[in-house]
mmCIF file of all heavy atoms in Angstrom:
data_model
loop_
_atom_site.group_PDB
_atom_site.id
_atom_site.type_symbol
_atom_site.label_atom_id
_atom_site.label_comp_id
_atom_site.label_asym_id
_atom_site.label_seq_id
_atom_site.Cartn_x
_atom_site.Cartn_y
_atom_site.Cartn_z
ATOM 1 N N LEU A 1 7.719 0.830 -10.559
ATOM 2 C CA LEU A 1 6.227 0.800 -10.261
ATOM 3 C C LEU A 1 5.928 1.014 -8.773
ATOM 4 O O LEU A 1 4.934 1.761 -8.506
ATOM 5 C CB LEU A 1 5.706 -0.573 -10.796
ATOM 6 C CG LEU A 1 4.160 -0.617 -10.800
ATOM 7 C CD1 LEU A 1 3.546 0.512 -11.640
ATOM 8 C CD2 LEU A 1 3.682 -1.953 -11.387
ATOM 9 N N ASP A 2 6.777 0.481 -7.875
ATOM 10 C CA ASP A 2 6.426 0.679 -6.456
ATOM 11 C C ASP A 2 6.538 2.096 -6.089
ATOM 12 O O ASP A 2 6.004 2.618 -5.109
ATOM 13 C CB ASP A 2 7.375 -0.226 -5.622
ATOM 14 C CG ASP A 2 8.850 0.092 -5.823
ATOM 15 O OD1 ASP A 2 9.188 0.731 -6.930
ATOM 16 O OD2 ASP A 2 9.693 -0.252 -4.954
ATOM 17 N N GLN A 3 7.392 2.926 -6.811
ATOM 18 C CA GLN A 3 7.461 4.345 -6.537
ATOM 19 C C GLN A 3 6.387 5.205 -7.257
ATOM 20 O O GLN A 3 5.884 6.133 -6.820
ATOM 21 C CB GLN A 3 8.821 4.989 -7.025
ATOM 22 C CG GLN A 3 9.988 4.326 -6.195
ATOM 23 C CD GLN A 3 11.318 4.899 -6.734
ATOM 24 O OE1 GLN A 3 11.345 6.002 -7.345
ATOM 25 N NE2 GLN A 3 12.383 4.117 -6.531
ATOM 26 N N LEU A 4 6.029 4.665 -8.451
ATOM 27 C CA LEU A 4 4.985 5.364 -9.208
ATOM 28 C C LEU A 4 3.594 5.210 -8.679
ATOM 29 O O LEU A 4 2.726 6.129 -8.773
ATOM 30 C CB LEU A 4 5.057 4.821 -10.745
ATOM 31 C CG LEU A 4 4.149 5.470 -11.686
ATOM 32 C CD1 LEU A 4 4.477 6.968 -11.879
ATOM 33 C CD2 LEU A 4 4.347 4.794 -13.076
ATOM 34 N N ARG A 5 3.325 4.010 -8.080
ATOM 35 C CA ARG A 5 1.981 3.778 -7.606
ATOM 36 C C ARG A 5 1.389 4.845 -6.702
ATOM 37 O O ARG A 5 0.136 5.139 -6.699
ATOM 38 C CB ARG A 5 1.941 2.423 -6.843
ATOM 39 C CG ARG A 5 1.790 1.201 -7.720
ATOM 40 C CD ARG A 5 1.339 -0.025 -7.050
ATOM 41 N NE ARG A 5 1.390 -1.223 -7.817
ATOM 42 C CZ ARG A 5 2.417 -2.084 -7.894
ATOM 43 N NH1 ARG A 5 3.443 -1.896 -7.015
ATOM 44 N NH2 ARG A 5 2.388 -3.059 -8.670
ATOM 45 N N GLN A 6 2.199 5.496 -5.855
ATOM 46 C CA GLN A 6 1.670 6.426 -4.942
ATOM 47 C C GLN A 6 1.126 7.706 -5.554
ATOM 48 O O GLN A 6 0.350 8.392 -4.972
ATOM 49 C CB GLN A 6 2.860 6.853 -3.942
ATOM 50 C CG GLN A 6 3.973 7.531 -4.658
ATOM 51 C CD GLN A 6 5.081 7.937 -3.750
ATOM 52 O OE1 GLN A 6 4.908 8.548 -2.682
ATOM 53 N NE2 GLN A 6 6.355 7.545 -4.066
ATOM 54 N N HIS A 7 1.495 7.898 -6.868
ATOM 55 C CA HIS A 7 1.074 9.089 -7.556
ATOM 56 C C HIS A 7 -0.142 8.777 -8.538
ATOM 57 O O HIS A 7 -0.768 9.688 -9.048
ATOM 58 C CB HIS A 7 2.149 9.595 -8.465
ATOM 59 C CG HIS A 7 3.383 10.114 -7.564
ATOM 60 N ND1 HIS A 7 3.327 11.110 -6.655
ATOM 61 C CD2 HIS A 7 4.668 9.665 -7.529
ATOM 62 C CE1 HIS A 7 4.469 11.234 -6.182
ATOM 63 N NE2 HIS A 7 5.314 10.378 -6.630
ATOM 64 N N LEU A 8 -0.363 7.452 -8.740
ATOM 65 C CA LEU A 8 -1.469 7.022 -9.713
ATOM 66 C C LEU A 8 -2.794 7.013 -9.061
ATOM 67 O O LEU A 8 -2.903 6.652 -7.931
ATOM 68 C CB LEU A 8 -1.106 5.650 -10.340
ATOM 69 C CG LEU A 8 0.141 5.585 -11.173
ATOM 70 C CD1 LEU A 8 0.300 4.155 -11.652
ATOM 71 C CD2 LEU A 8 0.084 6.550 -12.293
ATOM 72 N N PHE A 9 -3.837 7.232 -9.769
ATOM 73 C CA PHE A 9 -5.174 6.977 -9.407
ATOM 74 C C PHE A 9 -5.834 6.060 -10.461
ATOM 75 O O PHE A 9 -5.429 6.019 -11.561
ATOM 76 C CB PHE A 9 -6.008 8.267 -9.278
ATOM 77 C CG PHE A 9 -6.296 8.937 -10.604
ATOM 78 C CD1 PHE A 9 -7.228 8.646 -11.417
ATOM 79 C CD2 PHE A 9 -5.465 10.137 -10.901
ATOM 80 C CE1 PHE A 9 -7.474 9.307 -12.652
ATOM 81 C CE2 PHE A 9 -5.678 10.819 -12.106
ATOM 82 C CZ PHE A 9 -6.698 10.403 -12.887
ATOM 83 N N ILE A 10 -6.660 5.134 -9.930
ATOM 84 C CA ILE A 10 -7.340 4.148 -10.787
ATOM 85 C C ILE A 10 -8.799 4.172 -10.535
ATOM 86 O O ILE A 10 -9.216 4.186 -9.416
ATOM 87 C CB ILE A 10 -6.849 2.742 -10.493
ATOM 88 C CG1 ILE A 10 -5.276 2.606 -10.690
ATOM 89 C CG2 ILE A 10 -7.542 1.661 -11.302
ATOM 90 C CD1 ILE A 10 -4.662 1.299 -10.272
ATOM 91 N N LEU A 11 -9.578 4.462 -11.570
ATOM 92 C CA LEU A 11 -11.022 4.511 -11.481
ATOM 93 C C LEU A 11 -11.670 3.535 -12.446
ATOM 94 O O LEU A 11 -11.243 3.419 -13.646
ATOM 95 C CB LEU A 11 -11.490 5.933 -11.735
ATOM 96 C CG LEU A 11 -11.004 7.040 -10.812
ATOM 97 C CD1 LEU A 11 -11.455 8.460 -11.405
ATOM 98 C CD2 LEU A 11 -11.564 6.911 -9.469
ATOM 99 N N LEU A 12 -12.728 2.930 -11.965
ATOM 100 C CA LEU A 12 -13.391 1.849 -12.729
ATOM 101 C C LEU A 12 -14.844 2.128 -13.068
ATOM 102 O O LEU A 12 -15.489 2.820 -12.283
ATOM 103 C CB LEU A 12 -13.443 0.498 -12.022
ATOM 104 C CG LEU A 12 -12.003 0.046 -11.470
ATOM 105 C CD1 LEU A 12 -12.183 -1.234 -10.664
ATOM 106 C CD2 LEU A 12 -10.994 -0.059 -12.528
ATOM 107 N N HIS A 13 -15.272 1.703 -14.240
ATOM 108 C CA HIS A 13 -16.745 1.692 -14.601
ATOM 109 C C HIS A 13 -17.340 3.115 -14.459
ATOM 110 O O HIS A 13 -16.821 4.045 -15.034
ATOM 111 C CB HIS A 13 -17.460 0.673 -13.834
ATOM 112 C CG HIS A 13 -16.743 -0.637 -13.684
ATOM 113 N ND1 HIS A 13 -16.200 -1.341 -14.678
ATOM 114 C CD2 HIS A 13 -16.553 -1.456 -12.537
ATOM 115 C CE1 HIS A 13 -15.699 -2.424 -14.268
ATOM 116 N NE2 HIS A 13 -15.859 -2.565 -12.905
ATOM 117 N N GLN A 14 -18.351 3.279 -13.602
ATOM 118 C CA GLN A 14 -19.089 4.521 -13.497
ATOM 119 C C GLN A 14 -18.220 5.652 -12.877
ATOM 120 O O GLN A 14 -18.328 6.787 -13.365
ATOM 121 C CB GLN A 14 -20.334 4.350 -12.622
ATOM 122 C CG GLN A 14 -21.377 3.509 -13.168
ATOM 123 C CD GLN A 14 -22.490 3.168 -12.217
ATOM 124 O OE1 GLN A 14 -22.234 2.839 -11.112
ATOM 125 N NE2 GLN A 14 -23.707 3.338 -12.649
ATOM 126 N N ASP A 15 -17.257 5.265 -12.059
ATOM 127 C CA ASP A 15 -16.311 6.256 -11.529
ATOM 128 C C ASP A 15 -15.424 6.828 -12.646
ATOM 129 O O ASP A 15 -15.117 8.024 -12.730
ATOM 130 C CB ASP A 15 -15.394 5.727 -10.433
ATOM 131 C CG ASP A 15 -16.225 5.373 -9.207
ATOM 132 O OD1 ASP A 15 -17.307 5.969 -8.999
ATOM 133 O OD2 ASP A 15 -15.806 4.539 -8.402
ATOM 134 N N ALA A 16 -15.063 6.009 -13.553
ATOM 135 C CA ALA A 16 -14.199 6.466 -14.689
ATOM 136 C C ALA A 16 -15.031 7.369 -15.593
ATOM 137 O O ALA A 16 -14.499 8.381 -16.122
ATOM 138 C CB ALA A 16 -13.632 5.228 -15.429
ATOM 139 N N VAL A 17 -16.288 6.971 -15.868
ATOM 140 C CA VAL A 17 -17.093 7.771 -16.762
ATOM 141 C C VAL A 17 -17.346 9.192 -16.148
ATOM 142 O O VAL A 17 -17.253 10.142 -16.841
ATOM 143 C CB VAL A 17 -18.501 6.970 -16.816
ATOM 144 C CG1 VAL A 17 -19.517 7.906 -17.608
ATOM 145 C CG2 VAL A 17 -18.321 5.708 -17.642
ATOM 146 N N MET A 18 -17.714 9.192 -14.818
ATOM 147 C CA MET A 18 -17.994 10.482 -14.164
ATOM 148 C C MET A 18 -16.682 11.333 -14.137
ATOM 149 O O MET A 18 -16.797 12.534 -14.333
ATOM 150 C CB MET A 18 -18.498 10.317 -12.803
ATOM 151 C CG MET A 18 -18.670 11.573 -11.944
ATOM 152 S SD MET A 18 -19.677 12.861 -12.823
ATOM 153 C CE MET A 18 -21.275 12.542 -12.080
ATOM 154 N N HIS A 19 -15.537 10.739 -13.931
ATOM 155 C CA HIS A 19 -14.275 11.512 -13.889
ATOM 156 C C HIS A 19 -14.043 12.149 -15.295
ATOM 157 O O HIS A 19 -13.725 13.344 -15.298
ATOM 158 C CB HIS A 19 -13.119 10.599 -13.677
ATOM 159 C CG HIS A 19 -11.797 11.272 -13.578
ATOM 160 N ND1 HIS A 19 -11.394 12.059 -12.555
ATOM 161 C CD2 HIS A 19 -10.748 11.206 -14.534
ATOM 162 C CE1 HIS A 19 -10.216 12.651 -12.821
ATOM 163 N NE2 HIS A 19 -9.835 12.110 -14.044
ATOM 164 N N LEU A 20 -14.207 11.490 -16.428
ATOM 165 C CA LEU A 20 -14.003 12.194 -17.693
ATOM 166 C C LEU A 20 -15.016 13.266 -17.828
ATOM 167 O O LEU A 20 -14.682 14.299 -18.396
ATOM 168 C CB LEU A 20 -14.125 11.136 -18.765
ATOM 169 C CG LEU A 20 -13.881 11.752 -20.227
ATOM 170 C CD1 LEU A 20 -12.490 12.414 -20.331
ATOM 171 C CD2 LEU A 20 -14.033 10.701 -21.321
ATOM 172 N N MET A 21 -16.255 13.164 -17.374
ATOM 173 C CA MET A 21 -17.247 14.120 -17.541
ATOM 174 C C MET A 21 -16.779 15.455 -16.729
ATOM 175 O O MET A 21 -16.806 16.567 -17.253
ATOM 176 C CB MET A 21 -18.556 13.733 -16.931
ATOM 177 C CG MET A 21 -19.182 12.460 -17.600
ATOM 178 S SD MET A 21 -19.975 12.839 -19.185
ATOM 179 C CE MET A 21 -20.481 11.247 -19.599
ATOM 180 N N ARG A 22 -16.274 15.168 -15.534
ATOM 181 C CA ARG A 22 -15.780 16.301 -14.665
ATOM 182 C C ARG A 22 -14.569 16.951 -15.289
ATOM 183 O O ARG A 22 -14.455 18.183 -15.279
ATOM 184 C CB ARG A 22 -15.427 15.790 -13.265
ATOM 185 C CG ARG A 22 -16.673 15.260 -12.537
ATOM 186 C CD ARG A 22 -16.383 14.914 -11.040
ATOM 187 N NE ARG A 22 -16.398 16.147 -10.325
ATOM 188 C CZ ARG A 22 -15.402 16.848 -9.826
ATOM 189 N NH1 ARG A 22 -14.168 16.348 -10.015
ATOM 190 N NH2 ARG A 22 -15.504 17.922 -9.085
ATOM 191 N N VAL A 23 -13.612 16.212 -15.885
ATOM 192 C CA VAL A 23 -12.441 16.686 -16.474
ATOM 193 C C VAL A 23 -12.890 17.628 -17.661
ATOM 194 O O VAL A 23 -12.381 18.848 -17.863
ATOM 195 C CB VAL A 23 -11.593 15.626 -16.993
ATOM 196 C CG1 VAL A 23 -10.443 16.203 -17.936
ATOM 197 C CG2 VAL A 23 -10.904 14.909 -15.845
ATOM 198 N N ALA A 24 -13.739 17.158 -18.503
ATOM 199 C CA ALA A 24 -14.171 17.931 -19.755
ATOM 200 C C ALA A 24 -14.923 19.161 -19.305
ATOM 201 O O ALA A 24 -14.841 20.161 -20.049
ATOM 202 C CB ALA A 24 -15.102 17.018 -20.550
ATOM 203 N N ALA A 25 -15.598 19.197 -18.139
ATOM 204 C CA ALA A 25 -16.352 20.371 -17.631
ATOM 205 C C ALA A 25 -15.449 21.348 -16.971
ATOM 206 O O ALA A 25 -15.870 22.452 -16.554
ATOM 207 C CB ALA A 25 -17.405 19.890 -16.737
ATOM 208 N N GLY A 26 -14.180 21.029 -16.688
ATOM 209 C CA GLY A 26 -13.222 21.883 -15.972
ATOM 210 C C GLY A 26 -13.347 21.843 -14.484
ATOM 211 O O GLY A 26 -12.780 22.602 -13.775
ATOM 212 N N LEU A 27 -14.099 20.815 -14.017
ATOM 213 C CA LEU A 27 -14.315 20.734 -12.516
ATOM 214 C C LEU A 27 -13.146 20.020 -11.830
ATOM 215 O O LEU A 27 -13.123 20.009 -10.594
ATOM 216 C CB LEU A 27 -15.595 19.980 -12.254
ATOM 217 C CG LEU A 27 -16.939 20.558 -12.824
ATOM 218 C CD1 LEU A 27 -18.065 19.874 -12.154
ATOM 219 C CD2 LEU A 27 -16.988 22.058 -12.559
ATOM 220 N N ASP A 28 -12.241 19.425 -12.576
ATOM 221 C CA ASP A 28 -11.065 18.761 -11.980
ATOM 222 C C ASP A 28 -9.829 19.571 -12.233
ATOM 223 O O ASP A 28 -8.730 19.130 -11.951
ATOM 224 C CB ASP A 28 -10.873 17.366 -12.556
ATOM 225 C CG ASP A 28 -10.002 16.495 -11.731
ATOM 226 O OD1 ASP A 28 -10.274 16.225 -10.573
ATOM 227 O OD2 ASP A 28 -8.960 16.098 -12.247
ATOM 228 N N SER A 29 -9.866 20.753 -12.824
ATOM 229 C CA SER A 29 -8.738 21.590 -13.273
ATOM 230 C C SER A 29 -8.214 22.348 -12.063
ATOM 231 O O SER A 29 -8.768 22.539 -11.023
ATOM 232 C CB SER A 29 -9.173 22.536 -14.312
ATOM 233 O OG SER A 29 -9.593 21.876 -15.522
ATOM 234 N N LEU A 30 -6.889 22.778 -12.223
ATOM 235 C CA LEU A 30 -6.205 23.552 -11.318
ATOM 236 C C LEU A 30 -6.977 24.826 -11.063
ATOM 237 O O LEU A 30 -7.171 25.318 -9.923
ATOM 238 C CB LEU A 30 -4.809 23.859 -11.715
ATOM 239 C CG LEU A 30 -3.914 24.581 -10.776
ATOM 240 C CD1 LEU A 30 -3.686 23.698 -9.548
ATOM 241 C CD2 LEU A 30 -2.534 24.828 -11.443
ATOM 242 N N VAL A 31 -7.418 25.454 -12.078
ATOM 243 C CA VAL A 31 -8.319 26.705 -12.085
ATOM 244 C C VAL A 31 -9.731 26.130 -12.404
ATOM 245 O O VAL A 31 -10.044 25.696 -13.554
ATOM 246 C CB VAL A 31 -7.904 27.730 -13.095
ATOM 247 C CG1 VAL A 31 -8.898 28.901 -13.042
ATOM 248 C CG2 VAL A 31 -6.515 28.279 -12.785
ATOM 249 N N LEU A 32 -10.618 26.158 -11.340
ATOM 250 C CA LEU A 32 -11.903 25.602 -11.482
ATOM 251 C C LEU A 32 -12.733 26.223 -12.614
ATOM 252 O O LEU A 32 -12.768 27.457 -12.729
ATOM 253 C CB LEU A 32 -12.706 25.790 -10.165
ATOM 254 C CG LEU A 32 -14.087 25.135 -10.038
ATOM 255 C CD1 LEU A 32 -13.926 23.620 -10.120
ATOM 256 C CD2 LEU A 32 -14.747 25.600 -8.737
ATOM 257 N N GLY A 33 -13.186 25.442 -13.632
ATOM 258 C CA GLY A 33 -13.972 25.912 -14.665
ATOM 259 C C GLY A 33 -13.147 26.447 -15.878
ATOM 260 O O GLY A 33 -13.781 27.001 -16.823
ATOM 261 N N GLU A 34 -11.885 26.274 -15.835
ATOM 262 C CA GLU A 34 -11.134 26.734 -17.054
ATOM 263 C C GLU A 34 -11.588 25.985 -18.340
ATOM 264 O O GLU A 34 -11.879 24.856 -18.396
ATOM 265 C CB GLU A 34 -9.582 26.594 -16.802
ATOM 266 C CG GLU A 34 -9.104 25.191 -16.520
ATOM 267 C CD GLU A 34 -8.585 24.551 -17.768
ATOM 268 O OE1 GLU A 34 -8.497 25.238 -18.847
ATOM 269 O OE2 GLU A 34 -8.207 23.297 -17.742
ATOM 270 N N GLY A 35 -11.488 26.721 -19.404
ATOM 271 C CA GLY A 35 -12.046 26.220 -20.608
ATOM 272 C C GLY A 35 -11.124 25.412 -21.581
ATOM 273 O O GLY A 35 -11.589 24.722 -22.443
ATOM 274 N N GLN A 36 -9.788 25.512 -21.353
ATOM 275 C CA GLN A 36 -8.834 24.968 -22.295
ATOM 276 C C GLN A 36 -8.990 23.441 -22.211
ATOM 277 O O GLN A 36 -8.758 22.830 -23.266
ATOM 278 C CB GLN A 36 -7.430 25.350 -21.967
ATOM 279 C CG GLN A 36 -6.378 24.893 -22.942
ATOM 280 C CD GLN A 36 -5.002 25.273 -22.527
ATOM 281 O OE1 GLN A 36 -4.736 25.788 -21.468
ATOM 282 N NE2 GLN A 36 -3.995 25.076 -23.364
ATOM 283 N N ILE A 37 -9.291 22.847 -21.144
ATOM 284 C CA ILE A 37 -9.381 21.383 -21.069
ATOM 285 C C ILE A 37 -10.327 20.668 -21.978
ATOM 286 O O ILE A 37 -10.170 19.592 -22.566
ATOM 287 C CB ILE A 37 -9.581 20.925 -19.622
ATOM 288 C CG1 ILE A 37 -9.385 19.476 -19.443
ATOM 289 C CG2 ILE A 37 -10.989 21.350 -19.122
ATOM 290 C CD1 ILE A 37 -7.990 18.879 -19.610
ATOM 291 N N LEU A 38 -11.437 21.421 -22.313
ATOM 292 C CA LEU A 38 -12.503 20.831 -23.180
ATOM 293 C C LEU A 38 -11.867 20.644 -24.609
ATOM 294 O O LEU A 38 -12.056 19.596 -25.234
ATOM 295 C CB LEU A 38 -13.683 21.671 -23.266
ATOM 296 C CG LEU A 38 -14.818 21.140 -24.163
ATOM 297 C CD1 LEU A 38 -15.259 19.769 -23.753
ATOM 298 C CD2 LEU A 38 -16.031 22.105 -24.131
ATOM 299 N N ALA A 39 -11.150 21.675 -25.004
ATOM 300 C CA ALA A 39 -10.425 21.517 -26.375
ATOM 301 C C ALA A 39 -9.430 20.346 -26.302
ATOM 302 O O ALA A 39 -9.208 19.581 -27.355
ATOM 303 C CB ALA A 39 -9.707 22.776 -26.753
ATOM 304 N N GLN A 40 -8.742 20.101 -25.161
ATOM 305 C CA GLN A 40 -7.811 18.989 -25.031
ATOM 306 C C GLN A 40 -8.545 17.630 -25.055
ATOM 307 O O GLN A 40 -7.981 16.631 -25.565
ATOM 308 C CB GLN A 40 -6.859 19.234 -23.785
ATOM 309 C CG GLN A 40 -6.068 20.443 -23.849
ATOM 310 C CD GLN A 40 -5.489 20.867 -22.522
ATOM 311 O OE1 GLN A 40 -6.135 20.692 -21.492
ATOM 312 N NE2 GLN A 40 -4.272 21.519 -22.552
ATOM 313 N N VAL A 41 -9.682 17.583 -24.438
ATOM 314 C CA VAL A 41 -10.459 16.332 -24.460
ATOM 315 C C VAL A 41 -10.918 16.032 -25.884
ATOM 316 O O VAL A 41 -10.854 14.923 -26.359
ATOM 317 C CB VAL A 41 -11.682 16.369 -23.494
ATOM 318 C CG1 VAL A 41 -12.651 15.273 -23.720
ATOM 319 C CG2 VAL A 41 -11.312 16.494 -22.055
#
């Protein structure tokens, strides 16, 4: 866990809600706006 923590992000409440919205919209993707992630969500 002490090695893994540096790679993890933790978001709470409204930040978690907004993050999922951004992921579903492709705004957090490697290729901005890619469509495959919505099907994965």
Side-chain angles (χ1 to χ4, degrees):
L1 192 53
D2 59 341
Q3 295 177 26
L4 184 59
R5 276 198 188 98
Q6 63 181 311
H7 300 295
L8 295 178
F9 64 83
I10 299 171
L11 298 172
L12 309 178
H13 316 312
Q14 289 174 316
D15 291 336
V17 171
M18 175 54 94
H19 179 73
L20 181 57
M21 301 281 181
R22 296 188 81 255
V23 168
L27 301 190
D28 196 64
S29 296
L30 186 62
V31 175
L32 187 64
E34 62 95 3
Q36 187 181 6
I37 189 65
L38 181 58
Q40 292 166 330
V41 170

